[in-house]
Amino acid sequence: MQTHILGYPRIGSKRELKKACEQYWSGNILLEELLNTERNICNQNWNIQKEAGIDLIPCNDFSYYDQVLDMSLVVGAIPTRYHEVVLKKNNSELDLYFAMARGYQKDGLDITAMEMTKWFDTNYHYIVPEFYKNQQFKLSSDKIFNEFAGAKQAGINAKPVIIGLVSYLLLGKEKEEGFDKLDLAGNLLPVYTEILTKLQDQGAEWIQFDEPFLALDLTEKAKEAYLSVYAEIRKRFPKLKFIIATYFDGLKDNASLAVSLPVNTLHIDLVRNPEQLDDILNVIPESLSLSLGVIDGRNIWKNDYEKSLSFIRKAVEKLGSERIFIAPSCSLLHSPCDLDFETSLNPEIKNWLAFAKQKVAEVVILKELAAGTENEQVLEAFEENKKAIESRRTSSLIHNNQVKQRANAVTEKDAQRINTFKIRKEEQQEVLQLPLFPTTTIGSFPQTTEVRSWRAKFKKGELTAEQYDTLLKEETQRTIRWQEDIGIDVLVHWEFERNDMVEYFGEQLEGFVFTKNGWVQSYGSRCVKPPVIFGDVSRPTPMTVYWSQYAQSQTEKWVKGMLTGPVTILQWSFVRDDQPRSETCKQIALAIRDEVVDLEKAGIRIIQIDEPAIREGLPLRKTDWQNYLKWAVEAFRISASGVEDATQIHTHMCYSEFNDIIENIADMDADVITIECSRSQMELLNAFADFKYPNEIGPGVYDIHSPRVPSKEEMIELLRKAQNVIPASQLWVNPDCGLKTRHWDETEKALIAMVAAAKEVSVEYAL
């Protein structure tokens, strides 16, 4: 029996990677210092796993931005528009890499970033590979080999982790018509064989191929690609040992395909789909070992050892212990680094949790328990685990009967507006009096160092509540005036009082608890600190009314109330696993509904309920979609349906492919939806046009995930593209997303250009 980890968090226990990357981007540190940060994080991660007793430790799981972009660089899938970047003086391979992720606007160049989207159903993002007909690939980076050499030098029994060839192609997008990206497998395979040859020459024994698409619906062509690719790899490398890692769902109808691949070990996710164990044990050949993903790599709850042991013992009974690997369900990338840093959590709740470092220890303890160890320390850990599991099951902190009763009493009427959109639109236009192509922003604006320092001082008690309130009011007044001056139609109050769009609400809701250092990577240097939903959720008092009402009092224009929707709060939190997610979501929806109603009473006539995570939460298998979409759409409608027709409800979604679920998006019945569209050059609007989406749409014209500032002409061109597919009477003009992560200088320039673009297009339309 062996233990292994599929991947470990790479941000550093104190977010060292975030800080180093941002300092490098701003020119405050040199490349060597950034590379030193990488070396330190890798060595720390390897040593944590080595000291815990893990048998196979991953390498090449470190990334400066994301592992898919890493692979694009390694195999030379570098779009031609970036080739000039490497010709500029002093630019390194990393500068090219960051240009692909973030865009490049200096040295006389103005290059847009590559498209970014969600990593399956997580809140992690990846840069989408771009593929062209007959595209050629070549080994273009030594990253994989350098990291393996570093691990080997550190005395680590390292297992390089590589995105499998088929999954890599499936993660990408065809950028021209007339071919299937899987047609490129033959061109890409020689680069993979070159990688494996070099790793074998370096002394690698085990290679982990991540093939998460094996847990998704596959075409016959994809299945054939799996068979041919791995047959060729095995033929060329008969002595290398390969692990194929699947995760985020069960193999289901792909089980026979997966077990037939000529590899040494198959990893399955028994957290997401425990039922698949019996299916796999019934078809697994004698040549194949099985890796059991029994520790939840995506959530923070302590493992139930007794439950996991039941899986392990069943597998051992069938296969023998020598063919069993014990592991987390997926990479620990999605878990915070170390629970030991949480010194102020409620001790009872802390005893229910495990972060990445603790999950590593759980893997080793399970191996010892499964092997029948008599080690006193291990047996003591087992007893403590039983007590923690029982404590959580029976704790009075978790259950609130009033909340449960209210959720159970929800009816179909609670999820319906009074009248249809057609009637609502007339009432809203009469009240709001908005122009054609109205301009707005998504909500947040750059939070300066000064504003962040005020919040920190307030939390430390260095500013009184009155002093803090005065400072934020002054800043809100200033920003309201600025929006008026540049001509934005629907204003926002800029959310100076808020930290994170989920954390801010969770801090004011019952049933949530917060960590100090529970950071996880979202993309690049962007880290989030998800709340922990441990119990029944309710809203004891209004959350946003004070600041929304104050902002509205400062202007004759309309100011949007800004809320995070129930599905997004659910998706971007660590959610309790002792009841269905749908039930928790309904509880959150009722809490948001109360806030929406109070905002309307306070005179706020436009209320935005952000739901960027609706698409992200979609199950990976289409057969499971409708059940999820039913309760997710219902949750949004519950949150939005307590207001009068004249109150305009907005929602926002980003980085979503809408084609398959456009009918469900329409069922949400938001008066206005704003979406990310700039990186895809308005391509996402086609789904709305084909469906003849009836409500209003704000396609983003400014990519806020890149530091480059688009020109007015660029935005006008995007708006013209939008007009080609969506009636002008339905169009709003806005950025792709909130602007919190941007700097003020670029934000000001971009929004001034955006307003000018909207006015020019409006004049053109009038003519």
Side-chain angles (χ1 to χ4, degrees):
M1 198 178 303
Q2 295 193 69
T3 57
H4 72 124
I5 303 297
L6 277 67
Y8 201 80
R10 62 264 190 133
I11 59 175
S13 57
K14 298 180 180 178
R15 289 188 294 160
E16 296 92 331
L17 181 62
K18 170 189 173 62
K19 296 164 188 173
C21 281
E22 291 176 356
Q23 286 181 310
Y24 180 72
W25 296 336
S26 62
N28 292 327
I29 64 171
L30 297 175
L31 177 62
E32 186 54 36
E33 192 168 343
L34 181 61
L35 296 175
N36 278 335
T37 301
E38 173 189 353
R39 286 188 282 267
N40 291 337
I41 291 172
C42 286
N43 280 308
Q44 181 184 56
N45 290 352
W46 293 331
N47 287 329
I48 285 171
Q49 295 170 77
K50 182 180 179 181
E51 290 169 9
I54 296 295
D55 297 312
L56 285 175
I57 296 171
C59 68
N60 195 46
D61 56 337
F62 177 86
S63 178
Y64 283 104
Y65 216 89
D66 87 81
Q67 66 271 22
V68 183
L69 180 61
D70 291 351
M71 204 65 206
S72 293
L73 189 69
V74 168
V75 303
I78 303 165
T80 55
R81 64 183 180 275
Y82 299 105
H83 290 181
E84 284 189 77
V85 173
V86 298
L87 302 177
K88 296 299 178 180
K89 186 178 179 181
N90 297 325
N91 276 352
S92 66
E93 179 182 280
L94 265 181
D95 294 316
L96 167 64
Y97 173 87
F98 289 136
M100 293 164 70
R102 308 176 70 241
Y104 194 87
Q105 199 170 39
K106 60 181 180 179
D107 300 329
L109 300 177
D110 187 4
I111 311 171
T112 57
M114 294 173 70
E115 189 175 341
M116 183 164 67
T117 195
K118 292 293 179 76
W119 176 250
F120 298 94
D121 59 349
T122 75
N123 189 27
Y124 178 72
H125 303 66
Y126 74 93
I127 301 296
V128 180
E130 297 181 8
F131 296 133
Y132 300 85
K133 190 174 183 179
N134 300 320
Q135 184 170 346
Q136 299 300 306
F137 302 91
K138 66 176 182 178
L139 186 59
S140 301
S141 171
D142 290 331
K143 178 190 183 296
I144 298 173
F145 318 118
N146 292 340
E147 200 167 321
F148 179 74
K152 193 174 178 181
Q153 186 176 3
I156 301 300
N157 185 19
K159 168 196 60 169
V161 177
I162 302 171
I163 295 177
L165 186 152
V166 181
S167 284
Y168 174 70
L169 289 175
L170 291 173
L171 287 163
K173 181 177 284 189
E174 298 98 338
K175 302 302 287 186
E176 59 182 335
E177 296 180 358
F179 84 106
D180 185 325
K181 54 197 172 185
L182 287 173
D183 295 338
L184 298 173
N187 293 356
L188 185 55
L189 186 55
V191 182
Y192 269 72
T193 58
E194 189 175 353
I195 292 168
L196 294 174
T197 298
K198 288 197 171 190
L199 287 172
Q200 184 172 251
D201 291 344
Q202 282 183 281
E205 181 183 5
W206 284 92
I207 307 290
Q208 176 182 312
F209 284 122
D210 279 8
E211 291 284 9
F213 276 91
L214 281 168
L216 275 68
D217 300 313
L218 291 174
T219 64
E220 287 304 313
K221 188 169 186 176
K223 293 176 182 179
E224 290 168 6
Y226 272 114
L227 291 169
S228 61
V229 164
Y230 281 98
E232 185 64 22
I233 286 175
R234 173 51 74 202
K235 178 182 175 182
R236 290 174 179 261
F237 302 96
K239 293 183 180 179
L240 276 178
K241 297 177 182 177
F242 298 114
I243 299 174
I244 282 187
T246 69
Y247 38 79
F248 300 158
D249 206 335
L251 291 167
K252 300 178 182 177
D253 57 320
N254 296 326
S256 59
L257 168 65
V259 300
S260 72
L261 297 176
V263 297
N264 301 82
T265 302
L266 174 67
H267 173 83
I268 58 175
D269 184 340
L270 293 179
V271 174
R272 276 298 183 93
N273 189 239
E275 299 83 6
Q276 69 177 314
L277 180 58
D278 288 335
D279 296 335
I280 298 298
L281 290 177
N282 287 333
V283 297
I284 191 168
E286 292 183 5
S287 59
L288 191 63
S289 295
L290 191 60
S291 170
L292 308 176
V294 291
I295 308 273
D296 194 341
R298 289 180 54 172
N299 214 329
I300 42 70
W301 304 109
K302 188 169 283 187
N303 184 256
D304 183 342
Y305 288 163
E306 286 192 306
K307 182 178 179 181
S308 294
L309 284 170
S310 68
F311 293 131
I312 296 168
R313 286 166 178 156
K314 179 182 287 188
V316 168
E317 183 179 350
K318 178 80 172 182
L319 306 180
S321 61
E322 68 282 355
R323 291 171 61 192
I324 298 299
F325 288 69
I326 300 174
S329 59
C330 61
S331 171
L332 297 178
L333 163 70
H334 309 287
S335 295
C337 289
D338 189 354
L339 186 63
D340 291 342
F341 287 105
E342 302 303 326
T343 56
S344 57
L345 268 179
N346 178 315
E348 183 177 1
I349 295 174
K350 182 178 179 180
N351 190 41
W352 304 337
L353 308 181
F355 291 179
K357 183 179 178 181
Q358 289 70 40
K359 291 176 187 294
V360 168
E362 288 181 333
V363 170
V364 176
I365 290 170
L366 280 172
K367 174 187 174 180
E368 295 294 323
L369 290 170
T373 181
E374 296 296 325
N375 182 297
E376 186 175 335
Q377 189 175 0
V378 171
L379 294 176
E380 184 178 328
F382 190 21
E383 291 304 313
E384 289 176 358
N385 180 265
K386 290 178 184 177
K387 292 176 183 177
I389 300 301
E390 181 63 14
S391 164
R392 183 175 168 223
R393 190 184 68 80
T394 59
S395 175
S396 60
L397 294 175
I398 291 176
H399 304 290
N400 182 324
N401 286 330
Q402 284 185 318
V403 173
K404 294 181 192 297
Q405 289 167 8
R406 185 185 182 195
N408 289 336
V410 167
T411 66
E412 190 175 327
K413 185 178 179 181
D414 294 318
Q416 292 180 346
R417 296 289 296 270
I418 300 168
N419 284 300
T420 63
F421 172 72
K422 185 177 180 180
I423 296 172
R424 299 198 307 266
K425 182 172 182 175
E426 291 179 2
E427 289 199 34
Q428 289 165 16
Q429 185 56 29
E430 185 177 338
V431 171
L432 301 176
Q433 295 291 303
L434 295 172
L436 201 62
F437 300 102
T439 54
T440 190
T441 60
I442 303 305
S444 61
F445 274 72
Q447 295 218 351
T448 62
T449 302
E450 201 172 32
V451 169
R452 293 180 190 276
S453 73
W454 298 341
R455 187 184 303 129
K457 287 178 180 178
F458 175 60
K459 287 187 175 181
K460 292 176 183 175
E462 296 173 10
L463 283 176
T464 65
E466 185 178 358
Q467 290 171 324
Y468 184 55
D469 190 74
T470 299
L471 289 168
L472 292 186
K473 281 182 176 176
E474 290 173 354
E475 197 72 3
T476 301
Q477 289 173 15
R478 184 184 69 79
T479 53
I480 289 288
R481 296 287 88 77
W482 185 81
Q483 290 174 88
E484 289 178 328
D485 290 344
I486 70 168
I488 291 179
D489 297 308
V490 176
L491 314 187
V492 295
H493 79 281
W494 289 21
E495 305 177 13
F496 293 119
E497 78 285 1
R498 304 186 189 185
N499 37 31
D500 173 80
M501 65 180 288
V502 173
E503 185 174 5
Y504 177 75
F505 291 97
E507 286 176 337
Q508 301 179 78
L509 294 169
E510 298 291 341
F512 285 73
V513 72
F514 293 84
T515 64
K516 295 292 185 184
N517 295 283
W519 298 98
V520 293
Q521 187 179 29
S522 181
Y523 64 88
S525 68
R526 171 70 171 154
C527 297
V528 294
K529 187 155 56 68
V532 178
I533 304 177
F534 70 89
D536 290 328
V537 177
S538 61
R539 186 203 72 147
T541 58
M543 301 180 287
T544 67
V545 172
Y546 177 82
W547 284 109
S548 297
Q549 195 170 30
Y550 176 76
Q552 185 63 79
S553 73
Q554 300 301 303
T555 180
E556 295 299 315
K557 289 192 169 186
W558 295 108
V559 178
K560 281 193 291 190
M562 300 300 305
L563 304 173
T564 303
V567 178
T568 298
I569 291 176
L570 182 88
Q571 283 294 127
W572 292 359
S573 299
F574 291 121
V575 184
R576 60 189 293 191
D577 58 0
D578 61 337
Q579 71 176 15
R581 290 170 68 85
S582 57
E583 188 62 28
T584 303
C585 196
K586 186 187 291 185
Q587 293 177 359
I588 301 170
L590 289 167
I592 299 300
R593 180 190 182 95
D594 292 343
E595 188 70 13
V596 169
V597 170
D598 281 347
L599 282 169
E600 184 185 57
K601 288 177 182 175
I604 307 302
R605 307 304 304 198
I606 303 177
I607 302 169
Q608 182 169 307
I609 307 172
D610 285 344
E611 282 291 21
I614 282 271
R615 182 64 170 80
E616 169 194 316
L618 202 64
L620 301 185
R621 297 295 191 127
K622 288 189 176 181
T623 53
D624 301 323
W625 282 14
Q626 285 311 308
N627 178 55
Y628 161 76
L629 288 166
K630 182 178 183 298
W631 62 255
V633 169
E634 180 186 54
F636 177 84
R637 291 177 65 124
I638 288 169
S639 71
S641 295
V643 293
E644 299 298 320
D645 286 345
T647 296
Q648 190 175 74
I649 297 294
H650 290 222
T651 191
H652 169 66
M653 300 180 187
C654 53
Y655 298 108
S656 295
E657 298 286 350
F658 295 111
N659 304 58
D660 293 331
I661 60 167
I662 188 64
E663 184 175 343
N664 306 100
I665 300 299
D667 285 344
M668 291 172 66
D669 199 27
D671 299 305
V672 182
I673 180 173
T674 52
I675 59 174
E676 176 275 327
C677 261
S678 65
R679 284 203 185 193
S680 68
Q681 294 292 299
M682 295 291 157
E683 183 182 303
L684 290 178
L685 276 184
N686 292 333
F688 290 85
D690 294 343
F691 180 72
K692 293 183 172 51
Y693 186 78
N695 300 15
E696 297 181 14
I697 308 172
V701 295
Y702 163 31
D703 175 17
I704 68 88
H705 294 91
S706 168
R708 70 177 291 275
V709 177
S711 66
K712 179 186 76 171
E713 290 70 28
E714 186 178 327
M715 297 189 202
I716 288 172
E717 182 61 27
L718 289 174
L719 286 171
R720 286 173 179 157
K721 286 183 178 181
Q723 277 184 269
N724 288 336
V725 293
I726 300 292
S729 60
Q730 290 178 245
L731 288 173
W732 284 63
V733 183
N734 46 263
D736 275 346
C737 202
L739 294 156
K740 183 187 294 185
T741 60
R742 299 271 50 91
H743 294 296
W744 260 114
D745 58 342
E746 63 201 51
T747 297
E748 289 176 345
K749 292 174 185 174
L751 291 184
I752 289 170
M754 184 189 83
V755 173
K759 288 181 177 177
E760 188 164 326
V761 171
S762 182
V763 170
E764 288 178 2
Y765 183 81
L767 295 174

